[in-house]
Amino acid sequence: RGTMKSLRFISAEAFVSNAQFARRSLGAVAHNLFPLLFKASYLLEQGDVLHDLVENWPLVDFNVGKLLGATVDYEEDLSHRTCSVCLESCLTGLRDYVLNHSSPYMKRLKVVDLTGIKDVEVQFCGCKKTMGRWARTQLLSKLCLELLVYLQQAQCNPGISKISIDVLIDLFVTERNYELVVQALVKKCHCPLKICCVAFRSDNLTLQKFFYIIKLTDPPLLRKLEIVHNVRLEMEHLEMLFNSIHFPLLMSLTLPARTFNVRRFTAPDEQVLTNIGEKMGEMTQLTELSVSFSVLTGRIHKLLSPLKTPLKMLDVSNCSLNHADMAYLANSFHAKHLEALDLSGHDIPELYPSTFFKLLSHSSSVLRSLTLEDCNIQDTHVNMLILGLSPCQKLHEFKFVGNPLSSQALKHLFTFLCELPMLKNVEFPVPRDCYPIGITYPIDDASLCRFDHQKYQSVAEELNLILLQANREDVKASTPLFGSYDPAVQETNNELGTYLIKSFKETLEKFTSCFNKMS
């Protein structure tokens, strides 16, 4: 795609393009050329060659993110290509590395790092078939168990038992792959491939299963914990989790919707919230926190003030924050360190305009991502918004879908956005004048798509022309009506949908049962 290649890389491509010849000749290849050949094979999707390269890997470490990242020979970063053919070849090659009959003394590999793989919306690989985080979790677990079965059944080289390779991975567990992953984690001490969980995400799991599997992941080594959809974790469960398990290296924490709800608080609940804040304060590496769709009115200080390390990312979208909460955020030591901030779902112009702009001013020197969706930002607020955003010269991403802005106001705002030198991604709302007169905000899901699509297309073209005329073709502008792309949801949406239908059915049955009893 126009990226310069060195003569070495061009030669590597030529070598691996003839798969049969390349596989036959690997034994004669210098060890320091394996990384070069790996990236060339990945680019050309030469699955068989990739498999054999990994099976015969001569180096101490195998870091996929580094191998596919920008190099002197080829600057393009391929780590966002989650090509199914390539990744399956890598993982099966890893299994066969263990089983390969070459002398164990020749096997130097100690660490495999799969955490650098990035899941993105648009794939450039030829096969167009991706292997997301869930599928990688599934395949690695399956291969580890297959390896154990093979080692038990076959008369293997006794040297295999001495092989121990740490495989660093971001695990993604749902109900559908839970049993397989649990088996792999329980038996990992017997397997030459040791699954080392660096980040853990769980969706669609009962609390009992979540508590069981999280203990198997070796929590003291965990850097990122995401408890997202359909895990019914409430505040008292979170307190139990933090009391029973320590996360000394945790850097990022995402909690499910409705973990906190201060509207139902009693006196003991206040103490529980205090305890949770104190436990989070013990996580000295914690710099990213997401507590969206909880009710935290007047309590944000209880959660954040015990933290000893300033947050770099904070998502408190739809948390019903009041003026005291915003004042705390604006004046806290976190403000000057925030690189990503999400305040969606709060009526900022009405409730706390000056305090919000104070927060923006304090974080402006480092802020890279700002999300203000459904914040009731109207045409009359655009000039004030421009004034607040002007110092944010490092802003990469600005999302403000769901605000009642006219086409004219959007054009005015886009003219300003062109001046932000590092801006790369803008998510803007469907203009208010594209909807029927009388539409109310926030717009419900049923009405979201009922706008004049032709008029919207015309406005979108004008906005892109503003970017073009300012030589800002590097900025991507879009309107994701149903939220930004989430690779995890995209990969497991069928399971998520099934779970929601089942949950709705159970609720309906309970309602019917109660109604019948009343009758």
Side-chain angles (χ1 to χ4, degrees):
R1 290 162 54 238
T3 308
M4 289 290 288
K5 298 172 182 177
S6 70
L7 284 174
R8 266 166 47 97
F9 195 83
I10 293 167
S11 302
E13 282 186 296
F15 178 79
V16 302
S17 59
N18 183 335
Q20 198 174 359
F21 171 75
R23 296 174 75 188
R24 204 168 52 236
S25 309
L26 278 183
V29 172
H31 291 178
N32 64 343
L33 291 177
F34 268 65
L36 181 71
L37 294 176
F38 179 84
K39 188 171 183 180
S41 302
Y42 203 98
L43 179 65
L44 299 179
E45 293 176 45
Q46 291 284 34
D48 290 340
V49 181
L50 281 169
H51 171 278
D52 287 10
L53 282 166
V54 179
E55 184 185 353
N56 297 282
W57 198 255
L59 307 174
V60 175
D61 73 317
F62 177 72
N63 186 321
V64 177
K66 279 187 181 176
L67 290 166
L68 297 179
T71 57
V72 175
D73 292 297
Y74 185 47
E75 287 185 358
E76 187 174 346
D77 186 346
L78 304 180
S79 60
H80 57 273
R81 292 196 186 191
T82 54
C83 172
S84 184
V85 170
C86 295
L87 290 173
E88 186 168 349
S89 298
C90 291
L91 290 173
T92 54
L94 188 58
R95 175 201 60 198
D96 295 339
Y97 174 92
V98 174
L99 298 174
N100 191 310
H101 290 295
S102 63
S103 165
Y105 299 106
M106 300 284 288
K107 297 183 177 183
R108 301 175 60 211
L109 186 59
K110 294 296 177 192
V111 180
V112 172
D113 192 338
L114 303 173
T115 61
I117 301 167
K118 305 179 188 86
D119 296 293
V120 296
E121 186 172 5
V122 180
Q123 286 294 325
F124 292 106
C125 65
C127 74
K128 300 295 179 191
K129 191 180 176 189
T130 63
M131 182 183 285
R133 182 175 167 186
W134 187 92
R136 296 194 295 273
T137 300
Q138 169 97 345
L139 182 58
L140 180 62
S141 302
K142 180 171 170 280
L143 292 174
C144 287
L145 292 171
E146 280 179 9
L147 202 50
L148 281 170
V149 170
Y150 186 88
L151 293 176
Q152 285 166 0
Q153 290 175 350
Q155 291 292 97
C156 292
N157 184 337
I160 288 180
S161 60
K162 295 177 183 175
I163 297 172
S164 179
I165 302 168
D166 289 337
V167 185
L168 279 57
I169 186 171
D170 299 337
L171 292 180
F172 181 15
V173 179
T174 65
E175 179 68 40
R176 200 152 51 98
N177 68 353
Y178 172 81
E179 294 297 341
L180 188 73
V181 181
V182 163
Q183 284 185 56
L185 291 173
V186 165
K187 297 174 182 176
K188 82 171 187 176
C189 58
H190 305 293
C191 186
L193 297 178
K194 314 285 185 192
I195 295 177
C196 298
C197 181
V198 177
F200 182 84
R201 172 169 175 146
S202 75
D203 286 9
N204 305 330
L205 274 188
T206 63
L207 277 178
Q208 186 180 7
K209 287 182 175 178
F210 167 73
F211 270 87
Y212 181 66
I213 196 168
I214 195 68
K215 288 175 182 176
L216 297 176
T217 62
D218 204 358
L221 300 178
L222 209 58
R223 297 296 180 97
K224 187 172 186 176
L225 176 60
E226 298 170 280
I227 314 163
V228 193
H229 301 292
N230 302 321
V231 181
R232 294 177 181 173
L233 186 88
E234 295 186 7
M235 191 173 65
E236 57 270 26
H237 308 128
L238 185 62
E239 185 188 29
M240 282 170 55
L241 178 69
F242 287 166
N243 282 339
S244 60
I245 300 174
H246 295 286
F247 300 94
L249 297 182
L250 198 69
M251 299 171 72
S252 179
L253 175 64
T254 299
L255 297 172
R258 296 182 292 281
T259 299
F260 304 99
N261 186 354
V262 303
R263 288 176 189 146
R264 295 192 281 114
F265 264 28
T266 58
D269 291 327
E270 295 288 356
Q271 187 56 49
V272 171
L273 184 62
T274 301
N275 294 345
I276 289 170
E278 288 172 357
K279 286 292 179 184
M280 285 169 54
E282 293 172 13
M283 302 172 192
T284 55
Q285 306 291 313
L286 190 68
T287 57
E288 298 181 358
L289 179 65
S290 174
V291 287
S292 59
F293 290 93
S294 278
V295 181
L296 280 166
T297 314
R299 307 300 199 291
I300 201 75
H301 68 287
K302 277 200 169 188
L303 205 57
L304 303 188
S305 59
L307 299 185
K308 296 173 180 66
T309 309
L311 290 172
K312 292 182 180 179
M313 189 284 280
L314 178 63
D315 179 355
V316 282
S317 55
N318 300 283
C319 282
S320 304
L321 302 186
N322 63 15
H323 188 274
D325 295 316
M326 192 60 72
Y328 166 76
L329 288 177
N331 294 305
S332 72
F333 81 126
H334 302 292
K336 292 186 178 179
H337 299 269
L338 286 171
E339 295 176 13
L341 176 64
D342 190 340
L343 290 167
S344 300
H346 295 100
D347 190 343
I348 287 170
E350 182 67 29
L351 296 175
Y352 24 63
S354 59
T355 323
F356 164 70
F357 285 114
K358 183 179 181 183
L359 171 60
L360 202 58
S361 168
H362 286 168
S363 61
S364 61
S365 63
V366 292
L367 193 66
R368 293 162 58 89
S369 175
L370 178 63
T371 307
L372 301 174
E373 297 178 356
D374 298 311
C375 284
N376 196 31
I377 299 168
Q378 301 178 33
D379 289 16
T380 51
H381 308 130
V382 168
N383 284 336
M384 196 193 304
L385 182 63
I386 289 171
L387 203 63
L389 289 174
S390 292
C392 303
Q393 294 292 297
K394 290 187 178 175
L395 200 67
H396 274 61
E397 182 175 66
F398 181 41
K399 302 177 182 180
F400 58 107
V401 172
N403 288 292
L405 291 164
S406 69
S407 308
Q408 207 56 43
L410 284 171
K411 290 173 197 172
H412 180 36
L413 186 54
F414 263 65
T415 303
F416 157 73
L417 292 175
C418 292
E419 297 171 16
L420 296 176
M422 301 184 79
L423 194 67
K424 289 287 177 280
N425 185 40
V426 177
E427 293 183 4
F428 65 95
V430 173
R432 191 187 64 225
D433 40 301
C434 290
Y435 281 105
I437 294 169
I439 189 85
T440 55
Y441 285 78
I443 301 171
D444 58 70
D445 288 350
S447 307
L448 210 52
C449 295
R450 294 176 186 165
F451 59 89
D452 186 331
H453 288 258
Q454 196 172 349
K455 186 174 181 181
Y456 164 77
Q457 200 56 47
S458 174
V459 174
E461 285 170 9
E462 286 184 66
L463 296 176
N464 276 301
L465 186 61
I466 290 170
L467 295 172
L468 196 66
Q469 288 172 339
N471 294 318
R472 293 305 305 270
E473 299 96 327
D474 57 322
V475 179
K476 179 195 169 193
S478 61
T479 306
L481 285 175
F482 298 99
S484 300
Y485 175 77
D486 183 336
V489 170
Q490 186 69 26
E491 190 180 9
T492 58
N493 55 8
N494 289 339
E495 184 180 355
L496 189 61
T498 304
Y499 188 95
L500 290 171
I501 291 167
K502 183 185 171 189
S503 181
F504 178 71
K505 187 183 173 190
E506 286 172 0
T507 306
L508 207 58
E509 284 170 355
K510 284 178 187 174
F511 174 78
T512 308
S513 174
C514 290
F515 184 75
N516 290 338
K517 283 177 185 175
M518 286 170 67
S519 300

